[in-house]
Amino acid sequence: MSTGSRDNHPHLTTPSLANANAGAIVIVGGSGFLGSNLAHSFLREGEEVVVIDNLSRKGVEHNLAWLRSHHGEAVQPLIADIRDFDAIQPALREAKAVFHFAAQTAVTTSLEHPLEDFETNARGTLNVLEAVRGAGRCAPVIFASTNKVYGVLRDIGLEDDFGGRHMPVDPKLRERGIDETRPLDLHTPYGCSKGVADQYVLDYARSFALKTAVLRMSCIYGPRQCGTEDQGWVAHFLNCAMAGKKICIYGDGKQVRDVLHVEDAIAAYKKLLGDIDVLSGRAFNLGGGPANAVSIAEIIAEIERLPGCKLTTTNADWRAGDQLYFVADTTALAKATGWTPQIGWRQGLRDLHAWLLQEGPAKEERHVQPRSISA
């Protein structure tokens, strides 16, 4: 598939991978939000990092340029599409660890273009796995999955008198959230394609003895996020508030998510890599947990307390695949790795606001279309 992004970004031409030291960490979708933050973390520790990205999401080219300005030749960019096996295979051949963040990330886009969604999320993931398997180095592969693999959760009894939130009637669910024993229930093409990828990653541990693991993420937010209303909604809300633009609330605003700051997410990915020998073949939920569970209305109210932020809202019907409630029970991940979130959601919002003021994209670049393979 397309690798033409190279022509659109001549200042980011790909260096010869033959000159890269063997054993780099490869981050697929490494110019995206999560990928660039993880790359920066490893690069600060002296690791060499290969970034694979097709730069299809508007704004992520700035993340890659930022990485190169801070870390120089330690960043090895490969401008390629994960749907093109021959393009990505050379970079994965010498990897010592692989983090796979590349994806089509929006439910709405998957409904408009289901074939493209499948090719990127399902076939693209299989390409990554096959390239690693063919290399014969047994490099660990850690995959970014989604809470959408659990479906819309309509069977959970909810009531909305918990401070204006949709919350479970079951007190155990209110206290702990959704754990990994919840059966997969794939809704929308996006949920199906990510679910397929999720299961392929786990099965490659069973069938081929690769060291693989999955993190099923809730709502991650923070610096370097190019947010839209379909993906990265916390950053999208802040962008709109700072630019004086309206946002649309789908549903009643009482839907609940457990938001997690990207620094905490990166810590979880690195801890999982550190323990991959014993945790291979497992899937874990990753989110802010009950302590960081908030409604959309609460996020909006907190944003409006920040300097220069004012949100005007409109309303629309619920969208396909929307969950009224999702809070991740991260007990399994905590027990397995010792990871716990450290940044509360109010502090995290202030952090994102400060980044947007100092380093964030220009206002005209804050509202982009969610047609990306970068997570």
Side-chain angles (χ1 to χ4, degrees):
M1 299 297 289
S2 172
T3 57
S5 300
R6 191 179 286 114
D7 297 331
N8 298 328
H9 306 279
H11 61 296
L12 296 176
T13 53
T14 303
S16 171
L17 291 170
N19 296 327
N21 295 328
I25 292 171
V26 178
I27 303 179
V28 187
S31 295
F33 166 48
L34 277 169
S36 60
N37 277 283
L38 182 63
H40 181 56
S41 179
F42 278 122
L43 288 159
R44 285 188 300 181
E45 296 172 355
E47 295 281 1
E48 182 178 299
V49 174
V50 173
V51 166
I52 300 176
D53 207 299
N54 73 353
L55 303 182
S56 63
R57 184 184 180 107
K58 186 179 178 182
V60 300
E61 69 275 10
H62 299 305
N63 289 341
L64 182 52
W66 175 79
L67 286 172
R68 296 193 77 189
S69 70
H70 280 72
H71 303 288
E73 294 304 312
V75 184
Q76 298 285 328
L78 175 61
I79 313 306
D81 194 307
I82 60 170
R83 293 169 290 187
D84 186 341
F85 179 85
D86 291 337
I88 66 173
Q89 189 268 344
L92 292 165
R93 185 169 51 217
E94 300 296 332
K96 71 177 180 182
V98 177
F99 292 87
H100 178 20
F101 298 127
Q104 189 297 110
T105 57
V107 170
T108 49
T109 302
S110 79
L111 291 165
E112 295 171 3
H113 304 287
L115 290 176
E116 179 180 337
D117 175 83
F118 177 86
E119 287 293 323
T120 299
N121 291 351
R123 180 60 180 268
T125 297
L126 193 56
N127 282 343
V128 171
L129 290 168
E130 277 295 282
V132 172
R133 184 170 78 95
R137 292 169 58 92
C138 203
V141 179
I142 298 178
F143 174 64
S145 186
T146 171
N147 61 17
K148 291 294 191 292
V149 299
Y150 296 118
V152 293
L153 306 172
R154 291 289 190 260
D155 62 303
I156 295 177
L158 299 174
E159 49 191 23
D160 62 4
D161 60 351
F162 289 90
R165 302 177 177 182
H166 291 293
M167 293 291 285
V169 175
D170 184 342
K172 290 183 180 179
L173 279 179
R174 291 201 303 272
E175 180 183 354
R176 301 287 291 273
I178 306 292
D179 68 19
E180 296 84 356
T181 64
R182 176 81 189 182
L184 301 191
D185 185 17
L186 308 182
H187 286 236
T188 75
Y190 173 76
C192 291
S193 65
K194 290 293 284 188
V196 165
D198 178 311
Q199 293 299 288
Y200 261 111
V201 172
L202 296 178
D203 188 69
Y204 265 58
R206 292 187 292 261
S207 294
F208 303 113
L210 286 188
K211 297 177 181 179
T212 69
V214 169
L215 287 173
R216 295 171 179 160
M217 296 188 298
S218 196
C219 297
I220 316 299
Y221 69 97
R224 319 224 69 82
Q225 187 172 39
C226 303
T228 73
E229 70 176 9
D230 293 311
Q231 196 272 334
W233 59 272
V234 176
H236 171 65
F237 282 8
L238 262 172
N239 277 326
C240 289
M242 295 169 70
K245 295 191 175 183
K246 291 181 180 181
I247 64 165
C248 183
I249 297 176
Y250 295 91
D252 58 14
K254 298 179 181 180
Q255 53 267 54
V256 170
R257 299 291 184 271
D258 59 324
V259 296
L260 182 70
H261 192 277
V262 67
E263 288 187 14
D264 284 327
I266 295 312
Y269 276 94
K270 294 175 78 171
K271 280 185 173 291
L272 188 53
L273 177 64
D275 293 324
I276 194 64
D277 287 342
V278 295
L279 299 179
S280 179
R282 293 186 62 181
F284 298 94
N285 290 343
L286 176 64
N292 291 290
V294 291
S295 69
I296 286 178
E298 288 173 294
I299 289 282
I300 290 172
E302 192 66 23
I303 286 173
E304 291 189 314
R305 294 187 180 99
L306 297 172
C309 290
K310 179 65 178 177
L311 274 171
T312 303
T313 62
T314 60
N315 290 89
D317 289 339
W318 298 100
R319 296 177 297 181
D322 278 348
Q323 298 161 326
L324 297 186
Y325 167 89
F326 188 91
V327 173
D329 181 349
T330 60
T331 302
L333 183 63
K335 288 182 177 178
T337 67
W339 174 88
T340 55
Q342 301 298 307
I343 300 173
W345 69 271
R346 289 184 175 87
Q347 176 189 344
L349 273 180
R350 291 193 295 270
D351 177 63
L352 177 54
H353 180 248
W355 177 78
L356 287 168
L357 286 172
Q358 296 174 14
E359 299 184 48
K363 289 180 181 179
E364 64 269 20
E365 294 177 338
R366 289 179 181 164
H367 309 283
V368 297
Q369 295 301 311
R371 303 184 188 281
S372 169
I373 73 157
S374 298

